[in-house]
Amino acid sequence: MSTTGTESVPLVRDSPPTRFDIVARILHWAMAVLVVAMLFLGAALVGSISDYHRVLRLHESVGVLVLVLAVLRIANRLRRTTPAQIPSIGRLERAVATTSEILMYALLVAQPLVGWGLVSASGVPVRVLGGLRLPPIAPADVDLYDVLRDLHTVLAYGLLAALTMHMCAVLAHALLLRDGLLDRMLFTLGGRRFRVVEGTRRLIRRIADRQR
């Protein structure tokens, strides 16, 4: 039986990408630097006296940048296809990774917002990025200030714990399992991937060999 017209061609679904898209990678590493800086600046506020206001302005500015990039990162994450999970990650670890990812996003949004509300409740104008004044998002109130200050501290410790666990998990996959998990978030330059991980492996091997 002959047919006329164009033959139907079966649809082939595109395979998942092997790495995160370039926007996700840029946002990831930019936020990594900013979050570490924000935590260090927050800790510096505890013992800072003479430079307290300068450190506070830097802390607030970095916090606003983290908030903006976090929103952009979540939006990009929702509209982009992510790489397929690597075979070495089991069902339980996958569930833990998904839960920790959601928790990390929540903390990256909540912590700057609570900080913004904290400064607003103190009655001090929120000035960031060299003088840009942000509107208050909470009324000036001493009791509210105390609550937000305690919450800001708790979220800071939570963010530090989540960041530490994330780094430990990534290093375990990169240095011990060597399953290519970290490669999905690395950049290429001139067709070559940055060999930071491989260089770290060699350094660890040399230190281990010397101690034998």
Side-chain angles (χ1 to χ4, degrees), residues 4 9 37 40 52 62 72-73 90-91 103 111 119 134 139-140 145 160 165 171 174 181-182 188 199:
T4 60
V9 179
F40 272 104
Y52 178 83
V62 174
L72 292 176
R73 186 175 176 183
R91 181 178 300 178
L103 176 62
Q111 177 70 339
V119 179
L134 299 181
Y145 172 83
L160 178 60
M165 289 188 292
L171 288 175
L181 177 69
L182 181 58
T188 56

Side-chain angles (χ1 to χ4, degrees), residues 108-160:
L108 290 173
V109 172
Q111 177 70 339
L113 284 176
V114 171
W116 188 352
L118 169 66
V119 179
S120 300
S122 70
V124 178
V126 183
R127 297 185 183 275
V128 298
L129 304 175
L132 177 62
R133 183 168 181 172
L134 299 181
I137 60 173
D141 183 88
V142 176
D143 294 332
L144 179 60
Y145 172 83
D146 291 337
V147 172
L148 293 178
R149 181 182 59 183
D150 293 340
L151 179 59
H152 195 59
T153 301
V154 171
L155 291 178
Y157 281 115
L159 184 57
L160 178 60

Side-chain angles (χ1 to χ4, degrees), residues 164 196 209 211:
T164 302
V196 177
D209 292 340
Q211 293 179 350

Side-chain angles (χ1 to χ4, degrees), residues 42-53:
L45 285 173
V46 178
S48 178
I49 298 177
S50 59
D51 295 331
Y52 178 83
H53 293 289

Side-chain angles (χ1 to χ4, degrees), residues 179-200:
D179 51 13
L181 177 69
L182 181 58
D183 293 341
R184 307 188 308 168
M185 195 58 79
L186 296 180
F187 297 94
T188 56
L189 183 61
R192 293 185 177 182
R193 190 163 296 177
F194 289 120
R195 299 299 181 184
V196 177
V197 175
E198 188 62 33
T200 305

Side-chain angles (χ1 to χ4, degrees), residues 20-39:
F20 287 92
D21 63 276
I22 184 65
V23 175
R25 281 176 278 156
I26 292 175
L27 290 173
H28 175 272
W29 293 110
M31 289 192 66
V33 174
L34 289 174
V35 169
V36 172
M38 182 178 65
L39 291 174

